[in-house]
Amino acid sequence: MYWLPLTPHRPATEILGLCVYDASGDVAGAPRSAFPTNTAQFRLSYGEAFTDLLIGETNKARMARGLNPASIVYKGYDIFQYDLQYVRTDEGFFRERKWYNFKECVNRAVSELTKKVQITGDIQDAVRAYNGSGPKAQQYARDVMRLLPYCEEAAATAVTPAVAFSGAGAGLSFVAFEESGIAADEDDPGAPGNSDTNETADFETARFLANLGAPGASDDASLDSPTFAAIGAINLDISRA
């Protein structure tokens, strides 16, 4: 929802650099238990220069979203939101701003997802664990699974795939995604499945589906077809709309 609107106006490398999100820990009502719990703790552990570097990156991302500058360190870095807690074992990624490089982002995302798959044994559970725990993480996983048909379509038609998930040890493949139990007919509102997303409770998913349509929806329906037959006048209150 943040980086996609930037794509018509900025090059890919710049957009990758602006993928710095989530100020949990410094925002009232959004506490954080993982290190760093807030900017003050990070500054105490890593000093002024490193802290100011990350604050500078925070403010580049905030400016791109039309927000005012802030004096806080964000926790999610790169397009897959590599968490700042990993600074303790992967300091170079953050200090050298490696999230500007897509290969660096993909390597870490696949590594983390592979670990989660090995622990959970299930793709959807692995995605949920990647995001955390609780209802929001569960909704996140359902949203991701809804997007898999788009990914599968892109992978099937790609001339040069950017990433191959199959391989020794990884246990990830597009076949594994297909075996996750998500079937095309689960998008039928008359036959909801267990993994169906509640669009009413999830505004971002509703907006996505409204803009791009559900997976498998036809784009070539004719306005002359019976589907679009006139149904009579509709009273519309434009102020309420």
Side-chain angles (χ1 to χ4, degrees):
M1 74 186 95
Y2 294 139
W3 60 261
L4 190 60
L6 302 176
T7 56
H9 315 293
R10 301 174 187 257
T13 301
E14 184 179 354
I15 293 173
L16 285 175
L18 294 172
C19 289
V20 178
Y21 306 122
D22 204 342
S24 296
D26 287 288
V27 176
R32 174 174 165 85
S33 58
F35 176 88
T37 56
N38 53 36
T39 301
Q41 187 183 44
F42 187 88
R43 192 184 300 276
L44 186 64
S45 300
Y46 285 95
E48 298 291 334
F50 195 5
T51 304
D52 289 345
L53 182 149
L54 294 184
I55 290 176
E57 295 301 314
T58 290
N59 286 329
K60 288 180 186 177
R62 288 176 63 86
M63 183 180 297
R65 293 162 55 194
L67 301 175
N68 293 325
S71 299
I72 54 180
V73 169
Y74 274 24
K75 73 172 188 179
Y77 294 77
D78 90 28
I79 198 167
F80 303 115
Q81 293 298 271
Y82 193 49
D83 197 279
L84 186 56
Q85 64 183 291
Y86 295 112
V87 69
R88 288 178 158 173
T89 56
D90 195 8
E91 182 175 330
F93 178 86
F94 301 95
R95 192 179 288 275
E96 299 167 27
R97 303 185 302 172
K98 291 183 180 180
W99 66 88
Y100 282 72
N101 184 309
F102 187 66
K103 183 177 180 181
E104 298 280 358
C105 301
V106 171
N107 286 344
R108 284 160 178 82
V110 172
S111 175
E112 286 303 309
L113 283 168
T114 299
K115 294 175 185 176
K116 304 301 184 187
V117 168
Q118 291 170 345
I119 293 171
T120 65
D122 178 81
I123 293 291
Q124 185 164 334
D125 280 347
V127 173
R128 189 272 309 154
Y130 181 87
N131 189 251
S133 60
K136 288 186 177 180
Q138 292 169 359
Q139 184 67 53
Y140 174 90
R142 288 192 290 267
D143 292 345
V144 170
M145 299 305 286
R146 292 285 300 245
L147 298 178
L148 277 178
Y150 294 111
C151 301
E152 291 169 339
E153 181 181 353
T157 57
V159 176
T160 306
V163 180
F165 285 97
S166 59
L172 289 172
S173 67
F174 287 111
V175 174
F177 281 115
E178 291 168 359
E179 293 173 352
S180 64
I182 300 300
D185 62 0
E186 285 201 12
D187 284 319
D188 180 0
N194 293 331
S195 61
D196 253 14
T197 301
N198 182 349
E199 287 91 349
T200 304
D202 181 7
F203 174 75
E204 293 304 332
T205 298
R207 182 167 65 177
F208 182 92
L209 294 176
N211 287 332
L212 297 185
S218 174
D219 294 326
D220 55 7
S222 170
L223 291 177
D224 296 326
S225 71
T227 303
F228 295 97
I231 58 175
I234 299 176
N235 293 323
L236 176 64
D237 184 340
I238 194 63
S239 64
R240 296 186 67 188

mmCIF file of all heavy atoms in Angstrom, residues 82-124:
data_model
loop_
_atom_site.group_PDB
_atom_site.id
_atom_site.type_symbol
_atom_site.label_atom_id
_atom_site.label_comp_id
_atom_site.label_asym_id
_atom_site.label_seq_id
_atom_site.Cartn_x
_atom_site.Cartn_y
_atom_site.Cartn_z
ATOM 1 N N TYR A 82 12.425 -6.692 6.655
ATOM 2 C CA TYR A 82 13.411 -7.346 7.517
ATOM 3 C C TYR A 82 13.486 -6.552 8.814
ATOM 4 O O TYR A 82 13.732 -5.354 8.814
ATOM 5 C CB TYR A 82 14.754 -7.346 6.792
ATOM 6 C CG TYR A 82 15.829 -8.222 7.372
ATOM 7 C CD1 TYR A 82 15.584 -9.548 7.710
ATOM 8 C CD2 TYR A 82 17.117 -7.724 7.531
ATOM 9 C CE1 TYR A 82 16.602 -10.352 8.196
ATOM 10 C CE2 TYR A 82 18.137 -8.524 8.016
ATOM 11 C CZ TYR A 82 17.869 -9.839 8.351
ATOM 12 O OH TYR A 82 18.876 -10.636 8.830
ATOM 13 N N ASP A 83 13.297 -7.230 9.940
ATOM 14 C CA ASP A 83 13.123 -6.546 11.216
ATOM 15 C C ASP A 83 14.449 -6.072 11.799
ATOM 16 O O ASP A 83 15.470 -6.766 11.721
ATOM 17 C CB ASP A 83 12.422 -7.462 12.209
ATOM 18 C CG ASP A 83 11.855 -6.693 13.388
ATOM 19 O OD1 ASP A 83 12.632 -6.380 14.317
ATOM 20 O OD2 ASP A 83 10.645 -6.395 13.384
ATOM 21 N N LEU A 84 14.423 -4.915 12.420
ATOM 22 C CA LEU A 84 15.631 -4.312 12.993
ATOM 23 C C LEU A 84 16.234 -5.150 14.116
ATOM 24 O O LEU A 84 17.398 -4.972 14.451
ATOM 25 C CB LEU A 84 15.311 -2.898 13.496
ATOM 26 C CG LEU A 84 16.489 -2.055 14.004
ATOM 27 C CD1 LEU A 84 17.574 -1.913 12.943
ATOM 28 C CD2 LEU A 84 16.006 -0.681 14.462
ATOM 29 N N GLN A 85 15.483 -6.082 14.686
ATOM 30 C CA GLN A 85 16.055 -6.930 15.726
ATOM 31 C C GLN A 85 17.252 -7.725 15.198
ATOM 32 O O GLN A 85 18.149 -8.101 15.963
ATOM 33 C CB GLN A 85 15.013 -7.893 16.281
ATOM 34 C CG GLN A 85 14.479 -8.905 15.290
ATOM 35 C CD GLN A 85 13.404 -9.777 15.876
ATOM 36 O OE1 GLN A 85 13.671 -10.597 16.734
ATOM 37 N NE2 GLN A 85 12.162 -9.593 15.416
ATOM 38 N N TYR A 86 17.313 -7.954 13.876
ATOM 39 C CA TYR A 86 18.405 -8.726 13.303
ATOM 40 C C TYR A 86 19.693 -7.917 13.169
ATOM 41 O O TYR A 86 20.699 -8.431 12.682
ATOM 42 C CB TYR A 86 17.981 -9.296 11.949
ATOM 43 C CG TYR A 86 16.850 -10.295 12.070
ATOM 44 C CD1 TYR A 86 15.579 -10.000 11.574
ATOM 45 C CD2 TYR A 86 17.039 -11.512 12.708
ATOM 46 C CE1 TYR A 86 14.535 -10.902 11.713
ATOM 47 C CE2 TYR A 86 16.003 -12.419 12.848
ATOM 48 C CZ TYR A 86 14.756 -12.111 12.350
ATOM 49 O OH TYR A 86 13.723 -12.997 12.488
ATOM 50 N N VAL A 87 19.678 -6.684 13.602
ATOM 51 C CA VAL A 87 20.902 -5.890 13.592
ATOM 52 C C VAL A 87 21.975 -6.551 14.459
ATOM 53 O O VAL A 87 23.176 -6.380 14.221
ATOM 54 C CB VAL A 87 20.624 -4.449 14.073
ATOM 55 C CG1 VAL A 87 20.283 -4.425 15.568
ATOM 56 C CG2 VAL A 87 21.808 -3.525 13.787
ATOM 57 N N ARG A 88 21.566 -7.331 15.431
ATOM 58 C CA ARG A 88 22.529 -7.973 16.332
ATOM 59 C C ARG A 88 23.309 -9.083 15.645
ATOM 60 O O ARG A 88 24.430 -9.402 16.053
ATOM 61 C CB ARG A 88 21.801 -8.528 17.568
ATOM 62 C CG ARG A 88 21.331 -7.424 18.514
ATOM 63 C CD ARG A 88 20.573 -7.976 19.691
ATOM 64 N NE ARG A 88 20.581 -7.057 20.817
ATOM 65 C CZ ARG A 88 19.875 -7.230 21.935
ATOM 66 N NH1 ARG A 88 19.101 -8.304 22.060
ATOM 67 N NH2 ARG A 88 19.944 -6.361 22.913
ATOM 68 N N THR A 89 22.769 -9.687 14.615
ATOM 69 C CA THR A 89 23.468 -10.754 13.891
ATOM 70 C C THR A 89 23.767 -10.389 12.442
ATOM 71 O O THR A 89 24.517 -11.100 11.771
ATOM 72 C CB THR A 89 22.611 -12.039 13.911
ATOM 73 O OG1 THR A 89 21.311 -11.758 13.376
ATOM 74 C CG2 THR A 89 22.472 -12.563 15.342
ATOM 75 N N ASP A 90 23.198 -9.305 11.953
ATOM 76 C CA ASP A 90 23.345 -8.914 10.554
ATOM 77 C C ASP A 90 23.500 -7.397 10.464
ATOM 78 O O ASP A 90 22.816 -6.733 9.697
ATOM 79 C CB ASP A 90 22.113 -9.378 9.766
ATOM 80 C CG ASP A 90 22.316 -9.344 8.259
ATOM 81 O OD1 ASP A 90 23.454 -9.100 7.806
ATOM 82 O OD2 ASP A 90 21.326 -9.557 7.529
ATOM 83 N N GLU A 91 24.420 -6.859 11.246
ATOM 84 C CA GLU A 91 24.563 -5.405 11.353
ATOM 85 C C GLU A 91 24.855 -4.751 10.015
ATOM 86 O O GLU A 91 24.377 -3.645 9.725
ATOM 87 C CB GLU A 91 25.669 -5.078 12.361
ATOM 88 C CG GLU A 91 25.861 -3.588 12.590
ATOM 89 C CD GLU A 91 26.881 -3.288 13.683
ATOM 90 O OE1 GLU A 91 27.014 -4.107 14.621
ATOM 91 O OE2 GLU A 91 27.538 -2.237 13.591
ATOM 92 N N GLY A 92 25.648 -5.423 9.173
ATOM 93 C CA GLY A 92 26.025 -4.834 7.896
ATOM 94 C C GLY A 92 24.844 -4.515 7.005
ATOM 95 O O GLY A 92 24.881 -3.546 6.234
ATOM 96 N N PHE A 93 23.782 -5.307 7.093
ATOM 97 C CA PHE A 93 22.608 -5.052 6.263
ATOM 98 C C PHE A 93 22.047 -3.667 6.528
ATOM 99 O O PHE A 93 21.690 -2.936 5.599
ATOM 100 C CB PHE A 93 21.530 -6.115 6.532
ATOM 101 C CG PHE A 93 20.263 -5.900 5.757
ATOM 102 C CD1 PHE A 93 20.132 -6.387 4.474
ATOM 103 C CD2 PHE A 93 19.188 -5.200 6.309
ATOM 104 C CE1 PHE A 93 18.961 -6.189 3.748
ATOM 105 C CE2 PHE A 93 18.024 -4.990 5.600
ATOM 106 C CZ PHE A 93 17.905 -5.490 4.316
ATOM 107 N N PHE A 94 21.984 -3.303 7.801
ATOM 108 C CA PHE A 94 21.398 -2.020 8.176
ATOM 109 C C PHE A 94 22.409 -0.877 8.062
ATOM 110 O O PHE A 94 22.082 0.197 7.560
ATOM 111 C CB PHE A 94 20.859 -2.106 9.604
ATOM 112 C CG PHE A 94 19.812 -3.166 9.777
ATOM 113 C CD1 PHE A 94 20.159 -4.436 10.225
ATOM 114 C CD2 PHE A 94 18.487 -2.910 9.473
ATOM 115 C CE1 PHE A 94 19.201 -5.422 10.379
ATOM 116 C CE2 PHE A 94 17.518 -3.899 9.618
ATOM 117 C CZ PHE A 94 17.881 -5.157 10.066
ATOM 118 N N ARG A 95 23.631 -1.123 8.490
ATOM 119 C CA ARG A 95 24.639 -0.065 8.453
ATOM 120 C C ARG A 95 25.005 0.305 7.022
ATOM 121 O O ARG A 95 25.281 1.468 6.715
ATOM 122 C CB ARG A 95 25.882 -0.501 9.236
ATOM 123 C CG ARG A 95 26.853 0.631 9.507
ATOM 124 C CD ARG A 95 28.048 0.156 10.308
ATOM 125 N NE ARG A 95 27.724 -0.126 11.703
ATOM 126 C CZ ARG A 95 27.713 0.815 12.653
ATOM 127 N NH1 ARG A 95 27.962 2.078 12.351
ATOM 128 N NH2 ARG A 95 27.434 0.482 13.902
ATOM 129 N N GLU A 96 25.036 -0.700 6.131
ATOM 130 C CA GLU A 96 25.408 -0.469 4.732
ATOM 131 C C GLU A 96 24.198 -0.274 3.825
ATOM 132 O O GLU A 96 24.336 -0.212 2.610
ATOM 133 C CB GLU A 96 26.250 -1.643 4.240
ATOM 134 C CG GLU A 96 27.553 -1.828 5.013
ATOM 135 C CD GLU A 96 28.211 -3.165 4.735
ATOM 136 O OE1 GLU A 96 27.988 -3.722 3.627
ATOM 137 O OE2 GLU A 96 28.937 -3.668 5.618
ATOM 138 N N ARG A 97 23.004 -0.210 4.417
ATOM 139 C CA ARG A 97 21.759 0.048 3.687
ATOM 140 C C ARG A 97 21.572 -0.926 2.520
ATOM 141 O O ARG A 97 21.262 -0.539 1.396
ATOM 142 C CB ARG A 97 21.722 1.494 3.196
ATOM 143 C CG ARG A 97 21.864 2.521 4.300
ATOM 144 C CD ARG A 97 21.700 3.933 3.813
ATOM 145 N NE ARG A 97 22.668 4.253 2.775
ATOM 146 C CZ ARG A 97 22.669 5.367 2.061
ATOM 147 N NH1 ARG A 97 21.750 6.280 2.270
ATOM 148 N NH2 ARG A 97 23.579 5.577 1.141
ATOM 149 N N LYS A 98 21.726 -2.199 2.802
ATOM 150 C CA LYS A 98 21.649 -3.209 1.753
ATOM 151 C C LYS A 98 20.232 -3.429 1.257
ATOM 152 O O LYS A 98 20.020 -4.142 0.265
ATOM 153 C CB LYS A 98 22.236 -4.530 2.266
ATOM 154 C CG LYS A 98 23.746 -4.475 2.482
ATOM 155 C CD LYS A 98 24.293 -5.828 2.921
ATOM 156 C CE LYS A 98 25.804 -5.761 3.123
ATOM 157 N NZ LYS A 98 26.353 -7.081 3.545
ATOM 158 N N TRP A 99 19.231 -2.845 1.925
ATOM 159 C CA TRP A 99 17.861 -3.015 1.437
ATOM 160 C C TRP A 99 17.628 -2.287 0.120
ATOM 161 O O TRP A 99 16.581 -2.462 -0.510
ATOM 162 C CB TRP A 99 16.849 -2.575 2.493
ATOM 163 C CG TRP A 99 16.852 -1.114 2.839
ATOM 164 C CD1 TRP A 99 16.152 -0.124 2.225
ATOM 165 C CD2 TRP A 99 17.578 -0.474 3.907
ATOM 166 N NE1 TRP A 99 16.378 1.097 2.825
ATOM 167 C CE2 TRP A 99 17.253 0.901 3.873
ATOM 168 C CE3 TRP A 99 18.456 -0.937 4.887
ATOM 169 C CZ2 TRP A 99 17.783 1.823 4.770
ATOM 170 C CZ3 TRP A 99 18.987 -0.016 5.781
ATOM 171 C CH2 TRP A 99 18.653 1.342 5.728
ATOM 172 N N TYR A 100 18.586 -1.473 -0.324
ATOM 173 C CA TYR A 100 18.496 -0.850 -1.642
ATOM 174 C C TYR A 100 18.743 -1.875 -2.757
ATOM 175 O O TYR A 100 18.518 -1.579 -3.926
ATOM 176 C CB TYR A 100 19.522 0.270 -1.771
ATOM 177 C CG TYR A 100 19.149 1.569 -1.097
ATOM 178 C CD1 TYR A 100 19.159 1.696 0.292
ATOM 179 C CD2 TYR A 100 18.812 2.691 -1.849
ATOM 180 C CE1 TYR A 100 18.839 2.895 0.911
ATOM 181 C CE2 TYR A 100 18.491 3.897 -1.243
ATOM 182 C CZ TYR A 100 18.506 3.989 0.142
ATOM 183 O OH TYR A 100 18.181 5.187 0.743
ATOM 184 N N ASN A 101 19.237 -3.048 -2.414
ATOM 185 C CA ASN A 101 19.570 -4.098 -3.376
ATOM 186 C C ASN A 101 18.536 -5.213 -3.272
ATOM 187 O O ASN A 101 18.399 -5.854 -2.225
ATOM 188 C CB ASN A 101 20.978 -4.640 -3.065
ATOM 189 C CG ASN A 101 21.443 -5.679 -4.073
ATOM 190 O OD1 ASN A 101 20.753 -6.631 -4.361
ATOM 191 N ND2 ASN A 101 22.644 -5.474 -4.590
ATOM 192 N N PHE A 102 17.811 -5.473 -4.359
ATOM 193 C CA PHE A 102 16.720 -6.447 -4.298
ATOM 194 C C PHE A 102 17.215 -7.851 -3.978
ATOM 195 O O PHE A 102 16.550 -8.608 -3.257
ATOM 196 C CB PHE A 102 15.948 -6.455 -5.623
ATOM 197 C CG PHE A 102 14.711 -7.307 -5.583
ATOM 198 C CD1 PHE A 102 13.635 -6.980 -4.780
ATOM 199 C CD2 PHE A 102 14.614 -8.450 -6.362
ATOM 200 C CE1 PHE A 102 12.497 -7.763 -4.727
ATOM 201 C CE2 PHE A 102 13.472 -9.242 -6.324
ATOM 202 C CZ PHE A 102 12.417 -8.895 -5.503
ATOM 203 N N LYS A 103 18.378 -8.218 -4.498
ATOM 204 C CA LYS A 103 18.912 -9.558 -4.224
ATOM 205 C C LYS A 103 19.142 -9.747 -2.722
ATOM 206 O O LYS A 103 18.860 -10.817 -2.174
ATOM 207 C CB LYS A 103 20.212 -9.775 -4.990
ATOM 208 C CG LYS A 103 20.803 -11.168 -4.814
ATOM 209 C CD LYS A 103 22.059 -11.358 -5.648
ATOM 210 C CE LYS A 103 22.635 -12.756 -5.449
ATOM 211 N NZ LYS A 103 23.873 -12.949 -6.248
ATOM 212 N N GLU A 104 19.648 -8.713 -2.063
ATOM 213 C CA GLU A 104 19.868 -8.792 -0.618
ATOM 214 C C GLU A 104 18.531 -8.973 0.114
ATOM 215 O O GLU A 104 18.430 -9.729 1.092
ATOM 216 C CB GLU A 104 20.562 -7.528 -0.112
ATOM 217 C CG GLU A 104 21.946 -7.273 -0.695
ATOM 218 C CD GLU A 104 23.026 -8.108 -0.014
ATOM 219 O OE1 GLU A 104 22.711 -8.846 0.931
ATOM 220 O OE2 GLU A 104 24.188 -8.023 -0.439
ATOM 221 N N CYS A 105 17.502 -8.302 -0.358
ATOM 222 C CA CYS A 105 16.179 -8.416 0.254
ATOM 223 C C CYS A 105 15.622 -9.823 0.088
ATOM 224 O O CYS A 105 15.121 -10.428 1.042
ATOM 225 C CB CYS A 105 15.215 -7.410 -0.379
ATOM 226 S SG CYS A 105 15.712 -5.677 -0.252
ATOM 227 N N VAL A 106 15.707 -10.343 -1.133
ATOM 228 C CA VAL A 106 15.160 -11.665 -1.418
ATOM 229 C C VAL A 106 15.887 -12.735 -0.616
ATOM 230 O O VAL A 106 15.259 -13.646 -0.057
ATOM 231 C CB VAL A 106 15.247 -11.976 -2.926
ATOM 232 C CG1 VAL A 106 14.895 -13.437 -3.194
ATOM 233 C CG2 VAL A 106 14.318 -11.070 -3.713
ATOM 234 N N ASN A 107 17.204 -12.649 -0.546
ATOM 235 C CA ASN A 107 17.974 -13.659 0.182
ATOM 236 C C ASN A 107 17.505 -13.772 1.627
ATOM 237 O O ASN A 107 17.357 -14.871 2.172
ATOM 238 C CB ASN A 107 19.460 -13.309 0.145
ATOM 239 C CG ASN A 107 20.080 -13.569 -1.210
ATOM 240 O OD1 ASN A 107 19.512 -14.272 -2.045
ATOM 241 N ND2 ASN A 107 21.261 -13.017 -1.449
ATOM 242 N N ARG A 108 17.260 -12.640 2.260
ATOM 243 C CA ARG A 108 16.855 -12.666 3.669
ATOM 244 C C ARG A 108 15.410 -13.130 3.826
ATOM 245 O O ARG A 108 15.090 -13.856 4.767
ATOM 246 C CB ARG A 108 17.089 -11.284 4.296
ATOM 247 C CG ARG A 108 18.562 -11.059 4.582
ATOM 248 C CD ARG A 108 18.941 -9.598 4.732
ATOM 249 N NE ARG A 108 20.351 -9.472 5.053
ATOM 250 C CZ ARG A 108 21.332 -9.518 4.139
ATOM 251 N NH1 ARG A 108 21.037 -9.696 2.866
ATOM 252 N NH2 ARG A 108 22.593 -9.399 4.522
ATOM 253 N N ALA A 109 14.542 -12.721 2.916
ATOM 254 C CA ALA A 109 13.150 -13.155 2.999
ATOM 255 C C ALA A 109 13.036 -14.667 2.826
ATOM 256 O O ALA A 109 12.334 -15.345 3.593
ATOM 257 C CB ALA A 109 12.307 -12.440 1.941
ATOM 258 N N VAL A 110 13.728 -15.216 1.833
ATOM 259 C CA VAL A 110 13.676 -16.657 1.591
ATOM 260 C C VAL A 110 14.281 -17.414 2.765
ATOM 261 O O VAL A 110 13.772 -18.452 3.188
ATOM 262 C CB VAL A 110 14.390 -17.015 0.276
ATOM 263 C CG1 VAL A 110 14.517 -18.530 0.124
ATOM 264 C CG2 VAL A 110 13.625 -16.442 -0.912
ATOM 265 N N SER A 111 15.367 -16.886 3.319
ATOM 266 C CA SER A 111 16.012 -17.535 4.466
ATOM 267 C C SER A 111 15.053 -17.615 5.654
ATOM 268 O O SER A 111 14.904 -18.672 6.290
ATOM 269 C CB SER A 111 17.277 -16.774 4.860
ATOM 270 O OG SER A 111 17.855 -17.327 6.031
ATOM 271 N N GLU A 112 14.374 -16.493 5.943
ATOM 272 C CA GLU A 112 13.453 -16.478 7.077
ATOM 273 C C GLU A 112 12.237 -17.374 6.829
ATOM 274 O O GLU A 112 11.797 -18.116 7.715
ATOM 275 C CB GLU A 112 12.994 -15.046 7.358
ATOM 276 C CG GLU A 112 14.051 -14.172 8.006
ATOM 277 C CD GLU A 112 14.555 -14.767 9.307
ATOM 278 O OE1 GLU A 112 13.716 -15.114 10.174
ATOM 279 O OE2 GLU A 112 15.772 -14.927 9.458
ATOM 280 N N LEU A 113 11.690 -17.320 5.615
ATOM 281 C CA LEU A 113 10.529 -18.149 5.310
ATOM 282 C C LEU A 113 10.879 -19.631 5.341
ATOM 283 O O LEU A 113 10.081 -20.464 5.780
ATOM 284 C CB LEU A 113 9.966 -17.770 3.936
ATOM 285 C CG LEU A 113 9.154 -16.482 3.895
ATOM 286 C CD1 LEU A 113 8.889 -16.058 2.451
ATOM 287 C CD2 LEU A 113 7.833 -16.641 4.635
ATOM 288 N N THR A 114 12.084 -19.972 4.882
ATOM 289 C CA THR A 114 12.529 -21.364 4.920
ATOM 290 C C THR A 114 12.568 -21.878 6.351
ATOM 291 O O THR A 114 12.101 -22.989 6.650
ATOM 292 C CB THR A 114 13.916 -21.505 4.276
ATOM 293 O OG1 THR A 114 13.846 -21.099 2.909
ATOM 294 C CG2 THR A 114 14.408 -22.945 4.345
ATOM 295 N N LYS A 115 13.091 -21.060 7.257
ATOM 296 C CA LYS A 115 13.132 -21.453 8.670
ATOM 297 C C LYS A 115 11.722 -21.661 9.214
ATOM 298 O O LYS A 115 11.459 -22.619 9.950
ATOM 299 C CB LYS A 115 13.851 -20.379 9.486
ATOM 300 C CG LYS A 115 15.327 -20.216 9.167
ATOM 301 C CD LYS A 115 15.923 -19.042 9.945
ATOM 302 C CE LYS A 115 17.364 -18.785 9.536
ATOM 303 N NZ LYS A 115 17.918 -17.588 10.218
ATOM 304 N N LYS A 116 10.804 -20.769 8.841
ATOM 305 C CA LYS A 116 9.438 -20.867 9.338
ATOM 306 C C LYS A 116 8.738 -22.106 8.786
ATOM 307 O O LYS A 116 7.967 -22.761 9.496
ATOM 308 C CB LYS A 116 8.635 -19.614 8.979
ATOM 309 C CG LYS A 116 9.237 -18.298 9.446
ATOM 310 C CD LYS A 116 9.430 -18.242 10.949
ATOM 311 C CE LYS A 116 9.933 -16.872 11.376
ATOM 312 N NZ LYS A 116 10.291 -16.836 12.815
ATOM 313 N N VAL A 117 8.992 -22.426 7.514
ATOM 314 C CA VAL A 117 8.385 -23.618 6.911
ATOM 315 C C VAL A 117 8.899 -24.874 7.604
ATOM 316 O O VAL A 117 8.145 -25.807 7.880
ATOM 317 C CB VAL A 117 8.679 -23.675 5.401
ATOM 318 C CG1 VAL A 117 8.308 -25.039 4.834
ATOM 319 C CG2 VAL A 117 7.901 -22.604 4.667
ATOM 320 N N GLN A 118 10.188 -24.908 7.900
ATOM 321 C CA GLN A 118 10.765 -26.067 8.563
ATOM 322 C C GLN A 118 10.177 -26.254 9.965
ATOM 323 O O GLN A 118 10.035 -27.376 10.442
ATOM 324 C CB GLN A 118 12.285 -25.917 8.634
ATOM 325 C CG GLN A 118 12.960 -26.026 7.270
ATOM 326 C CD GLN A 118 14.424 -25.653 7.291
ATOM 327 O OE1 GLN A 118 14.919 -25.041 8.247
ATOM 328 N NE2 GLN A 118 15.142 -26.010 6.243
ATOM 329 N N ILE A 119 9.818 -25.147 10.598
ATOM 330 C CA ILE A 119 9.246 -25.226 11.945
ATOM 331 C C ILE A 119 7.765 -25.599 11.904
ATOM 332 O O ILE A 119 7.307 -26.463 12.652
ATOM 333 C CB ILE A 119 9.420 -23.880 12.686
ATOM 334 C CG1 ILE A 119 10.905 -23.626 12.956
ATOM 335 C CG2 ILE A 119 8.639 -23.871 13.992
ATOM 336 C CD1 ILE A 119 11.194 -22.231 13.480
ATOM 337 N N THR A 120 7.013 -24.950 11.007
ATOM 338 C CA THR A 120 5.555 -25.116 10.999
ATOM 339 C C THR A 120 5.083 -26.239 10.086
ATOM 340 O O THR A 120 4.030 -26.828 10.328
ATOM 341 C CB THR A 120 4.867 -23.817 10.551
ATOM 342 O OG1 THR A 120 5.224 -23.544 9.178
ATOM 343 C CG2 THR A 120 5.293 -22.643 11.423
ATOM 344 N N GLY A 121 5.835 -26.510 9.008
ATOM 345 C CA GLY A 121 5.425 -27.522 8.048
ATOM 346 C C GLY A 121 4.277 -27.110 7.159
ATOM 347 O O GLY A 121 3.708 -27.934 6.445
ATOM 348 N N ASP A 122 3.929 -25.832 7.157
ATOM 349 C CA ASP A 122 2.784 -25.354 6.386
ATOM 350 C C ASP A 122 3.082 -23.959 5.867
ATOM 351 O O ASP A 122 3.564 -23.093 6.607
ATOM 352 C CB ASP A 122 1.529 -25.334 7.268
ATOM 353 C CG ASP A 122 0.312 -24.808 6.528
ATOM 354 O OD1 ASP A 122 -0.307 -25.586 5.785
ATOM 355 O OD2 ASP A 122 -0.007 -23.613 6.693
ATOM 356 N N ILE A 123 2.795 -23.732 4.585
ATOM 357 C CA ILE A 123 3.113 -22.451 3.968
ATOM 358 C C ILE A 123 2.374 -21.295 4.640
ATOM 359 O O ILE A 123 2.952 -20.268 4.985
ATOM 360 C CB ILE A 123 2.779 -22.468 2.458
ATOM 361 C CG1 ILE A 123 3.701 -23.432 1.714
ATOM 362 C CG2 ILE A 123 2.896 -21.066 1.865
ATOM 363 C CD1 ILE A 123 5.138 -22.991 1.647
ATOM 364 N N GLN A 124 1.062 -21.446 4.842
ATOM 365 C CA GLN A 124 0.293 -20.344 5.432
ATOM 366 C C GLN A 124 0.745 -20.065 6.861
ATOM 367 O O GLN A 124 0.868 -18.911 7.264
ATOM 368 C CB GLN A 124 -1.203 -20.646 5.390
ATOM 369 C CG GLN A 124 -2.061 -19.490 5.889
ATOM 370 C CD GLN A 124 -3.525 -19.616 5.504
ATOM 371 O OE1 GLN A 124 -3.868 -20.247 4.514
ATOM 372 N NE2 GLN A 124 -4.404 -19.028 6.290
#
